[in-house]
Amino acid sequence: MRYIESWTPATIVATRDLTPGIREFLLRPDCVAVESYPVGSHIQIGVTIDGRPQTRCYSLVGEADAQGYRIAVRRAPESRGGSRYLWSLAPGARINITLPISLLQLDWSRRHVCLVAGGIGITPIVGATQALARRGAEITLHYAVRSRDDAAYLNVLETLLGRRLTVYAGDEGHRLDLGTVFAALPQDAMTLFCGPMRMLDAARHAWEAAGRPIADLRYETFGSSGLLPTEAFRVRLKQEGVEVVIPHDRTMLDVLNDAGHEVMSDCRRGECGVCAIDVIDVDGEIDHRDVFFSDRERREGRKICVCVSRARGTITVDTLRRADVI
Ligand SMILES: Cc1cc2nc3c(=O)[nH]c(=O)nc-3n(C[C@H](O)[C@H](O)[C@H](O)COP(=O)(O)OP(=O)(O)OC[C@H]3O[C@@H](n4cnc5c(N)ncnc54)[C@H](O)[C@@H]3O)c2cc1C
Ligand code: FES
């Protein structure tokens, strides 16, 4: 699959703090009318980090609104700085954005839909809730947050769902048990999930354990959060006989490409597998942050998606022998 992007300049029309750590931005593109877009669409935004241009993806919140595109950005304190950059922008600021891209597909014929969100993963779920509610679907929403103060869009969701919304606030000791949630669903139900990688792994295991078809679990993950801390690691290139250091704030893909070891990429968020290369040896541990490889492939550790995945220690790779994954 190719991820085709059309870029347009845009203006930040308004901002609003939804929680202490989540800020909403209303963006109006130049010269393009804000037309309806599929639920679950996201846009890319050009950000500047340490003087370098980069891009970050943001889900569109809610159904299309003629005023502009609405996004909500969580300020990630321990990060490369894309969210910090956006938080530094005030109304009137000019940015570049893509037109909406839709990769998340819902089966609108389903009567029962279970929605699951973790933290900032609520952003694509708001529009899905609105669209499903309008169609009269039987919806339940399970929303896990650290504390109620961190829960964005609670008013909108409570109005739409009433008692069909359950908030699991960690600081109140209220934990989301996905096994119990999935076991209680009618057989024809599908689930739409958006949350961190660790929670997605739990959802996939619980869904399979409940004997449900994996195609009925649709998910979006915002990528990049792994199981190990984000720290520098070393990559040895077997063919070239060189070793490079991947700093904590850069991806393996960018470092290898900047050093002239060309690695192909497409989605740059761990979904398509285009950037996968062969791993020959691991002195440490790989932190797979993609959603492309199966559990078995991750355990085997013979390939790595260099756009998002990282490691601890030193890994030896072969950039010339691309993994046969596409
Ligand atoms: C389809 C899609 C939709 C998204 N929608 C939203 C949304 O609605 N709202 C929102 O706030 N975010 C969303 N994101 C995430 C967003 O694109 C950014 O990743 C986020 O804002 C953090 O960017 P950052 O540069 O501040 O942090 P990043 O550096 O990208 O850090 C994010 C996390 O990755 C870890 N990390 C730090 N450095 C690295 C590194 N070098 N390599 C890999 N990981 C690292 C950090 O521990 C941190 O927790 C979405 C992502 C995708 C792919
Ligand atoms: S470029 Fe798509 S998984 Fe890395």
Side-chain angles (χ1 to χ4, degrees), residues 6-60:
S6 309
W7 287 85
T8 171
T11 304
I12 297 181
V13 180
T15 64
R16 165 170 85 113
D17 285 351
L18 303 172
T19 74
I22 301 177
R23 181 169 293 172
E24 185 186 78
F25 295 79
L26 181 64
L27 315 172
R28 194 160 48 225
D30 294 3
C31 327
V32 197
V34 179
E35 288 167 356
S36 69
Y37 47 77
V39 158
S41 296
H42 67 271
I43 55 171
Q44 291 195 45
I45 300 188
V47 297
T48 307
I49 301 176
D50 296 335
R52 293 170 192 253
Q54 293 203 17
T55 61
R56 291 289 183 273
C57 299
Y58 293 94
S59 297
L60 295 175

Side-chain angles (χ1 to χ4, degrees), residues 22 42-43 47 49 54-61 71-84 86 103 120 123-124 220-226 230 246-252 269 271 289 307-310:
I22 301 177
H42 67 271
I43 55 171
V47 297
I49 301 176
Q54 293 203 17
T55 61
R56 291 289 183 273
C57 299
Y58 293 94
S59 297
L60 295 175
V61 177
I71 60 165
V73 179
R74 186 183 77 88
R75 189 178 45 195
E78 304 273 311
S79 80
R80 291 165 289 182
S83 54
R84 264 198 314 279
L86 286 173
L103 301 173
I120 190 62
T123 49
E220 174 105 284
T221 173
F222 294 167
S224 59
S225 59
T230 300
I246 314 295
H248 76 281
D249 57 352
R250 301 203 64 205
T251 64
M252 197 171 148
R269 56 198 196 107
E271 291 185 352
R289 297 180 175 196
C307 66
V308 288
S309 295
R310 303 187 63 82

Side-chain angles (χ1 to χ4, degrees), residues 110-131:
R110 296 301 173 98
R111 173 112 202 92
H112 295 97
V113 182
C114 171
L115 302 169
V116 180
I120 190 62
I122 196 64
T123 49
I125 300 292
V126 175
T129 308
Q130 290 169 328

Side-chain angles (χ1 to χ4, degrees), residues 10 39 47-48 69 72 76 95 106 109 120 130 138 155 163-164 167 171 173 187 191 219 221 230 251 274 285 307 324:
V39 158
V47 297
T48 307
Y69 297 128
I95 49 172
L106 256 188
S109 66
I120 190 62
Q130 290 169 328
E138 298 284 335
N155 287 350
R163 294 164 65 90
R164 291 174 296 153
V167 177
D171 66 347
Q187 206 45 47
T191 286
Y219 56 82
T221 173
T230 300
T251 64
V274 166
E285 199 179 345
C307 66
D324 182 19

